[in-house]
Amino acid sequence: MNNEIPFLIPELTCMKRYPEKLYYRGDSRLLDRPKISIVGTRRPNPYTRATTYELSKKLSLSGMVVVSGAAAGVDAIAHQGAGSENTIAILPCGIDIRYPAANASLIEAIEQYGLTMTPFEPDFSAREWSFVVRNEIVVALGDALIVTEADIGSGSMRSVEYALSMGKEIYVLPHRLRESTATRQLLSDGKATAIDDIDTFVALMSQKGRNAIDDTPFIAYCRNNPTYEEVVGKFPSDIFEAELSGIIEVRNGRVAVV
């Protein structure tokens, strides 16, 4: 059965263009929980495989929902670590197509116990450009983006571009020299933070997630990194007081919760 999401997903309002339609299978209530996005290479090294799994599992156990793109490699490991009941898979194809075929059983499990979602019509086959749309949704849904391994020029770096434009925090794993060149470059440029201790990181993210559950509508809206003009238009009496009190700050024309 192919269902359409009947409500606005606030996290997706930071996209360049909100999807006209969103089809899903599974438990749409996962969208209401704190979420974190995990992406990376389709050919992870053994260290990345083990660490991605551990990170996803511990984030899931802490109450976070892991969002990824159901691709081979890091995506699949992130879904598996989280458990099918605590993960959201965004597809680059129609909701009735389990792509890639190698992950068909994983995607089927997520359909039954978690949530699969796509902006594409049923029977739509993945195209080169549809992966880009998929990646934007994956990044937008998460409270932050984790890139566990990626090389310069890879598709994961397109996700990083979206995260930077949306004002999302970016986290990466520390790698050895000549490994994961793109994430090492992000660290060098000060655009990402290294996850030096998984348990400490998970505690931080889960606390942020619990805080988000108790947010006022104004703070919840600001966590999606809207533009300053959008916030002024929606919450004109709240933004100035929040800015003066240091609850929010404006970065590159977008509002961020401190």
Side-chain angles (χ1 to χ4, degrees):
M1 182 177 181
N2 303 324
N3 302 309
E4 285 187 42
I5 297 287
F7 51 84
L8 180 76
I9 301 174
E11 291 88 345
L12 299 189
T13 58
C14 65
M15 294 178 63
K16 292 180 180 179
R17 181 181 179 184
Y18 191 93
E20 293 182 6
K21 292 183 179 180
L22 286 166
Y23 299 93
Y24 78 97
R25 285 182 177 177
D27 187 358
S28 63
R29 293 174 298 177
L30 290 179
L31 293 167
D32 297 327
R33 290 172 50 192
K35 298 173 289 294
I36 193 160
S37 307
I38 301 180
V39 302
T41 179
R42 287 175 169 78
R43 295 175 297 277
N45 62 38
Y47 159 75
T48 299
R49 297 181 67 87
T51 310
T52 299
Y53 188 89
E54 179 185 358
L55 182 60
S56 304
K57 184 174 183 177
K58 288 183 174 180
L59 284 167
S60 174
L61 290 172
S62 77
M64 302 288 291
V65 172
V66 172
V67 183
S68 199
V74 165
D75 286 21
I77 296 165
H79 291 308
Q80 290 164 351
S84 55
E85 71 281 4
N86 286 314
T87 195
I88 299 173
I90 308 302
L91 307 179
C93 53
I95 198 70
D96 51 343
I97 299 176
R98 290 165 184 154
Y99 179 92
N103 287 345
S105 59
L106 171 64
I107 295 170
E108 182 179 3
I110 297 173
E111 289 174 353
Q112 293 179 355
Y113 304 107
L115 176 66
T116 62
M117 195 165 70
T118 181
F120 304 109
E121 297 286 341
D123 298 324
F124 175 84
S125 297
R127 305 283 193 275
E128 185 175 349
W129 59 268
S130 70
F131 291 100
V132 178
V133 177
R134 184 272 310 273
N135 292 349
E136 186 179 8
I137 295 175
V138 168
V139 175
L141 275 179
D143 298 330
L145 174 67
I146 302 173
V147 186
T148 57
E149 183 184 344
D151 288 320
I152 293 173
S154 65
S156 296
M157 294 311 292
R158 188 62 180 266
S159 297
V160 168
E161 292 175 7
Y162 284 128
L164 291 171
S165 68
M166 295 174 187
K168 303 273 186 180
E169 292 181 324
I170 302 171
Y171 296 92
V172 300
L173 297 181
H175 281 267
R176 296 180 295 190
L177 291 174
R178 292 180 291 278
E179 291 183 347
S180 195
T181 53
T183 61
R184 287 178 58 83
Q185 187 64 52
L186 288 172
L187 287 173
S188 178
D189 294 342
K191 295 178 179 178
T193 302
I195 301 173
D196 293 316
D197 183 275
I198 289 180
D199 292 333
T200 300
F201 174 76
V202 169
L204 172 65
M205 289 296 106
S206 61
Q207 183 58 56
K208 286 185 176 182
R210 286 191 292 272
N211 291 344
I213 292 174
D214 298 326
D215 282 344
T216 65
F218 168 74
I219 294 298
Y221 185 78
C222 290
R223 287 195 190 280
N224 297 315
N225 299 108
T227 65
Y228 186 81
E229 290 74 17
E230 288 171 338
V231 180
V232 170
K234 193 171 182 65
F235 296 95
S237 61
D238 295 284
I239 185 167
F240 300 111
E241 180 180 349
E243 192 172 7
L244 287 173
S245 61
I247 297 174
I248 63 166
E249 61 181 40
V250 181
R251 307 168 186 165
N252 300 320
R254 290 189 174 274
V255 175
V257 178
V258 178

